[in-house]
Amino acid sequence: MATFVHLAPAVHAARIRRGGIKAPRAAHRERRGVFLFPVLDSYALTHQWLRELARRPGPRGLVAVHVRLPDGQRVTVGRYGEQEPEVTTAAGAVRRIRELDDPRGWEVFLPRAVARREVRYVREVRQLHGWRYRPDAHGTAPCVCEACREPGLYGSRRMAERRARPEYGPALPAGTLLARLGRAELRAEIHGDTAALCEVLRWYRLRRRGPLPRVARLTGHPDPEVRQLLAAAVAHWSTPGVDALLRELADDGADAAVRRAVAESIAYRDTPGADALLADLARDPDPRVRDAVVDGLVHRATPEAVALLTLLANDPDARVRETVSLLWDEDEGEDEDVREDEDPEARRD
């Protein structure tokens, strides 16, 4: 028999003692199951996932659930995030991890629930062991780019200000940006260099709002890249008049790349003007623009959006049809997950 540890919220300890561990849907796997880790000689390695799991939202405090599985039980083993973890037996997973020089970040996935008879005992565990974010993260300077930094996380803004980099936030003050915008426009007009102007628009993308009349005159700029960045910068602003500006950019008959940028930028903009503009772009003559529209339509649960998606599902361009098929099926799968989570039986651990 192979022995594993499962870390669970302390508030569920009594329920686990009575009925075992239920199998929720795993975040990065298609099947339901339970994550485990073999009991090793090292206490710290056995409970290495403690601090990483503790920093996530949910009840405070974790307990260690010791589970004993038959040696021949089918499981998967691999490092977190692997697309195709190794399929093996429970005994094979223990042997695989014991042979590693550094088993940090590894996990075992049992594709079913754990029965009551397979739970040996539930005990308290010290909460200070393990790593956070990833192994060896301690002592490594955190990345403050938009992709890595989590907005709203404790200390994230202070970290961004302390480790500020020109290409990342937080956004510059309004007065500083206005002065840079004026100089960049003058440089572009005299020397034809739009690099500084594009950089200012990237900064405006980090701001919640901006001086719309001041940037609106860039809708007629001769450089298509400037117009594309303008669409991305203002699409998330709540300033009145943004929808009209985006409509003007979308009417750019000379450059399909600008219309595509508008379609990508308003995918998650929730205004009547954005809905109407997205419907118009769904009939654009350029297939790349129609392809960019699909993502925004999928996230709009309206009869008009469904009708347009049905139309694009039979689009003459194969890329558009493939995008509709992929995103629509994925969205329906997420809706099914929500319905299952609303089921009281599915919420049990």
Side-chain angles (χ1 to χ4, degrees):
M1 302 287 283
T3 305
F4 298 87
V5 165
H6 171 74
L7 300 174
V11 296
H12 298 160
R15 184 165 30 177
I16 291 174
R17 290 189 182 98
R18 292 194 306 266
I21 307 172
K22 300 299 181 182
R25 185 177 295 278
H28 60 285
R29 283 178 167 84
E30 297 179 357
R31 302 177 61 185
R32 295 179 179 273
V34 178
F35 288 103
L36 307 166
F37 194 84
V39 176
L40 305 179
D41 297 333
S42 170
Y43 181 93
L45 287 177
T46 301
H47 304 89
Q48 61 172 285
W49 284 90
L50 264 171
R51 295 183 72 195
E52 172 63 18
L53 296 177
R55 77 178 186 89
R56 299 180 180 181
R60 301 299 298 272
L62 298 173
V63 294
V65 183
H66 281 242
V67 175
R68 178 168 288 179
L69 300 176
D71 289 342
Q73 170 65 51
R74 304 293 289 180
V75 297
T76 61
V77 60
R79 282 184 64 88
Y80 172 79
E82 282 190 3
Q83 298 298 321
E84 297 182 0
E86 177 184 348
V87 179
T88 182
T89 62
V94 173
R95 183 169 56 253
R96 178 78 174 90
I97 291 180
R98 283 184 179 274
E99 292 173 349
L100 295 170
D101 293 332
D102 185 6
R104 293 177 302 170
W106 282 66
E107 61 188 7
V108 177
F109 183 72
L110 174 67
R112 63 170 177 83
V114 176
R116 170 64 187 88
R117 64 180 181 278
E118 295 174 325
V119 176
R120 292 185 62 197
Y121 52 85
V122 181
R123 63 177 178 81
E124 295 182 355
V125 62
R126 297 193 294 273
Q127 306 290 311
L128 299 179
H129 284 276
W131 41 265
R132 289 184 299 171
Y133 307 105
R134 65 185 184 280
D136 295 323
H138 184 69
T140 303
C143 180
V144 295
C145 74
E146 293 181 74
C148 297
R149 184 164 59 95
E150 300 180 40
L153 193 67
Y154 176 78
S156 64
R157 181 174 181 84
R158 182 179 58 184
M159 180 177 64
E161 292 173 347
R162 184 179 299 171
R163 300 181 53 81
R165 296 173 60 182
E167 63 268 32
Y168 305 133
L172 295 173
T176 303
L177 275 181
L178 280 174
R180 289 191 180 185
L181 178 61
R183 293 195 298 268
E185 285 180 313
L186 185 61
R187 181 177 181 84
E189 183 178 352
I190 297 176
H191 302 288
D193 183 5
T194 60
L197 189 56
C198 292
E199 183 64 22
V200 172
L201 290 175
R202 291 190 184 96
W203 278 109
Y204 270 118
R205 187 178 181 181
L206 299 177
R207 295 191 62 84
R208 294 182 179 179
R209 299 182 65 164
L212 191 66
R214 183 67 179 81
V215 299
R217 59 191 186 189
L218 295 177
T219 54
H221 197 278
D223 190 342
E225 184 181 3
V226 172
R227 301 198 298 275
Q228 293 175 47
L229 290 173
L230 176 62
V234 305
H236 65 284
W237 291 1
S238 58
T239 308
V242 169
D243 287 333
L245 188 151
L246 292 171
R247 169 71 67 174
E248 185 177 352
L249 289 172
D251 290 338
D252 190 343
D255 201 304
V258 178
R259 302 197 301 275
R260 182 177 183 180
V262 173
E264 293 174 346
S265 301
I266 65 175
Y268 297 92
R269 182 173 176 81
D270 188 17
T271 63
D275 294 344
L277 180 55
L278 204 62
D280 292 342
L281 291 173
R283 300 178 177 86
D284 193 274
D286 193 296
R288 294 173 299 174
V289 178
R290 300 197 300 272
D291 184 71
V293 164
V294 175
D295 192 26
L297 292 176
V298 166
H299 292 88
R300 284 168 164 77
T302 62
E304 294 81 4
V306 173
L308 288 171
L309 282 172
T310 304
L311 179 65
L312 293 174
N314 300 309
D315 194 90
D317 191 273
R319 292 173 300 177
V320 179
R321 297 196 302 270
E322 182 180 0
T323 303
V324 174
S325 177
L326 290 174
L327 294 183
W328 209 348
D329 291 346
E330 178 182 334
D331 187 69
E332 290 177 352
E334 292 177 357
D335 292 342
E336 182 179 351
D337 292 346
V338 171
R339 289 193 294 270
E340 290 180 354
D341 291 341
E342 291 175 350
D343 185 354
E345 292 297 325
R347 289 200 301 268
R348 294 181 181 176
D349 287 332

